[in-house]
């Protein structure tokens, strides 16, 4: 008949459950409630029932209700409440991190979010410099390990890839992370990437250093070494080839993970506190020895991709899929007994395209 609200007027619900079952069996939706309950305060229960109707969109005439409340000992009045604090939409534009014009200082300005300038060194090689902080790069706060904000290893790779592009080296032959880069809650760190002249084989040594802005002490103690490796002038991106992933998910692949919340909850139990910016793994499949994943950058970060070769949060999420391949997945999506791994060595890294916000991954 088209009715969508059912109220059982009785001293205790007798028909409510039956009405709900009928509605469900008919494939419909309805609001079903009672008025009173046995052993419950009469007026309080009536008000509760009316509230249930109200929050489900049913129009309630509160005038006689408030009159009844006012006549009691507690009194009552209709007041305006603030809007629901956690249900909101932001309309503020996030100001992008823009490097200052360094050409007046004899430097070359880089259009990169982590590296601001480059300068050729008089004795050969090039120096790249930048500044990282939670104020300028707030998304890094979502990458916590054991309650400390760590610059993800993927960001180190991105720094070296960008430096390689500048000196004509299209491949990171190898990169070994020597120490984590911990980001302070206040202030920031200065970052340097040093690329040396090529040796007789064409390999160019590269290293990443950082300096805490408020650090004190001797000059030797101010700079910390975080990564070192080798760059080489590799093949062009067009010569990359690779596996075509047009059929998605791939034929014959079985679902390994379809519950990102359960997956990241399991990582949190192991001390990896990934916030929204780094929770990019959407689904994982397996086909024999192959593992496939779909990784997506959160919408709030999509506007930043043009200032990276590959956004570190996107590449870091790819590494999460690597870790998932070593876990035994439980039915509820939680992680089984396994060891979460942090990447410390990379080899043969080449970037074929930039500006991506979603990627298909084959491991």
């Amino acid at each position: 008949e088209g009715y969508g609200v059912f109220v059982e007027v009785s001293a205790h619900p007798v028909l409510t459950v039956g009405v709900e079952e009928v509605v469900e069996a008919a494939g419909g939706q309805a609001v079903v409630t009672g008025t009173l309950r046995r052993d419950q305060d009469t007026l309080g229960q009536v008000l509760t029932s009316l509230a249930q109707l109200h929050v489900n969109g049913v129009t309630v005439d509160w005038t006689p209700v408030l009159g009844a409340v006012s006549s009691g000992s507690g009194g009552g009045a209709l007041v305006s409440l603030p809007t629901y604090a956690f249900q909101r939409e932001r309309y503020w534009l996030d100001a992008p991190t823009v490097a200052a014009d360094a050409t007046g200082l004899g430097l070359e300005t880089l259009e990169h979010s982590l590296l601001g300038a480059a300068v050729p060194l008089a004795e050969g090689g090039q120096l790249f410099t930048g500044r990282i902080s939670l104020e300028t790069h707030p998304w890094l706060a979502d990458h916590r390990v054991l309650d400390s904000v760590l610059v993800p290893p993927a960001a180190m790779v991105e720094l070296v890839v960008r430096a390689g592009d500048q000196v004509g080296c299209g491949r990171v032959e190898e990169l070994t992370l020597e120490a984590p880069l911990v980001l302070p809650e206040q202030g920031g760190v200065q970052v340097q990437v040093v690329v040396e002249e090529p040796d007789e084989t064409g390999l160019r040594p590269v290293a990443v250093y950082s300096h805490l802005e408020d650090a004190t002490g001797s000059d030797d103690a101010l700079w910390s070494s975080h990564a070192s490796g080798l760059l080489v002038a590799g093949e062009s991106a067009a010569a990359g080839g690779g596996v075509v992933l047009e059929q998605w998910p791939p034929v014959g692949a079985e679902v390994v993970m379809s519950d990102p919340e359960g997956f990241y909850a399991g990582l949190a139990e192991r001390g990896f506190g990934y916030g929204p910016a780094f929770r990019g793994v959407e689904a994982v499949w397996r086909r024999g020895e192959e593992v496939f994943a779909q990784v997506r950058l959160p919408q709030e970060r999509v506007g930043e991709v043009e200032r990276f070769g590959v956004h570190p949060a996107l590449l870091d999420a790819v590494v999460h899929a690597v870790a998932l391949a070593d876990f035994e997945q439980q039915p509820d999506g939680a992680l089984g007994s396994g060891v979460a791994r942090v990447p410390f060595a990379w080899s043969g890294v080449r970037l074929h395209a930039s500006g991506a916000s979603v990627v298909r991954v084959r491991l």
Side-chain angles (χ1 to χ4, degrees):
E1 297 292 335
Y3 292 98
V5 180
F6 299 88
V7 181
E8 178 184 354
V9 182
S10 62
H12 188 77
V14 177
L15 304 176
T16 301
V17 174
V19 172
E20 291 176 339
E21 292 176 349
V22 170
V23 171
E24 182 178 355
Q29 291 183 340
V31 179
V32 184
T33 185
T35 50
L36 300 175
R37 297 189 72 89
R38 186 182 301 115
D39 300 326
Q40 297 292 330
D41 173 66
T42 300
L43 182 56
Q45 185 57 44
V46 169
L47 291 174
T48 299
S49 299
L50 287 169
Q52 291 174 340
L53 294 171
H54 176 68
V55 299
N56 280 281
V58 179
T59 302
V60 176
D61 182 2
W62 292 105
T63 304
V65 178
L66 291 173
V69 174
S70 300
S71 63
S73 59
L78 185 63
V79 298
S80 297
L81 295 177
T83 54
Y84 186 50
F86 303 101
Q87 190 172 1
R88 63 189 179 92
E89 293 185 37
R90 295 180 71 252
Y91 294 95
W92 296 106
L93 298 178
D94 293 321
T97 302
V98 179
D101 184 4
T103 55
L105 303 176
L107 308 175
E108 180 179 352
T109 300
L110 299 179
E111 295 296 329
H112 193 269
S113 183
L114 300 176
L115 292 176
V119 57
L121 300 177
E123 296 181 355
Q126 287 209 40
L127 170 67
F128 303 85
T129 178
R131 180 183 181 276
I132 304 176
S133 72
L134 292 182
E135 181 182 6
T136 57
H137 304 83
W139 50 273
L140 287 172
D142 288 344
H143 190 272
R144 294 180 181 268
V145 178
L146 301 179
D147 295 327
S148 295
V149 178
L150 297 188
V151 174
M156 298 286 186
V157 176
E158 169 67 14
L159 288 171
V160 173
V161 167
R162 180 63 184 88
D165 288 342
Q166 192 72 9
V167 298
C169 291
R171 185 170 79 239
V172 180
E173 187 69 10
E174 62 181 57
L175 183 67
T176 301
L177 305 185
E178 302 164 352
L181 174 51
V182 180
L183 209 57
E185 298 290 344
Q186 302 293 330
V189 295
Q190 299 174 16
V191 177
Q192 288 187 359
V193 181
V194 180
V195 179
E196 301 180 17
E197 286 289 281
D199 60 16
E200 61 277 5
T201 65
L203 295 174
R204 302 188 68 151
V206 61
V208 181
Y209 303 92
S210 78
H211 163 55
L212 189 62
E213 287 182 335
D214 61 354
T216 58
S218 64
D219 291 340
D220 293 338
L222 290 179
W223 289 92
S224 300
S225 176
H226 296 285
S228 61
L230 296 170
L231 298 172
V232 65
E235 305 92 332
S236 66
V243 178
V244 178
L245 299 179
E246 293 179 354
Q247 182 72 29
W248 196 254
V251 176
E254 298 180 354
V255 176
V256 175
M257 190 278 289
S258 59
D259 177 21
E261 292 188 6
F263 168 58
Y264 283 106
L267 288 180
E269 293 176 357
R270 288 161 173 78
F272 294 83
Y274 295 121
F278 286 85
R279 296 191 172 196
V281 178
E282 291 187 321
V284 179
W285 301 266
R286 187 190 299 274
R287 183 176 63 187
E289 296 298 319
E290 295 175 298
V291 174
F292 302 92
Q294 179 156 307
V295 178
R296 184 183 304 274
L297 198 64
Q299 185 62 36
E300 293 79 5
R301 308 267 72 88
V302 171
E304 303 166 350
V305 297
E306 297 300 332
R307 300 186 64 82
F308 295 96
V310 56
H311 198 294
L314 190 67
L315 182 57
D316 193 74
V318 172
V319 178
H320 301 171
V322 175
L324 184 62
D326 294 329
F327 284 129
E328 178 184 353
Q329 195 73 7
Q330 302 299 311
D332 59 357
L335 295 176
S337 58
V339 178
R341 300 180 179 181
V342 176
F344 69 93
W346 305 68
S347 62
V349 178
R350 287 192 296 127
L351 179 63
H352 296 271
S354 60
S357 61
V358 58
V359 294
R360 294 175 177 178
V361 184
R362 175 182 176 269
L363 310 173

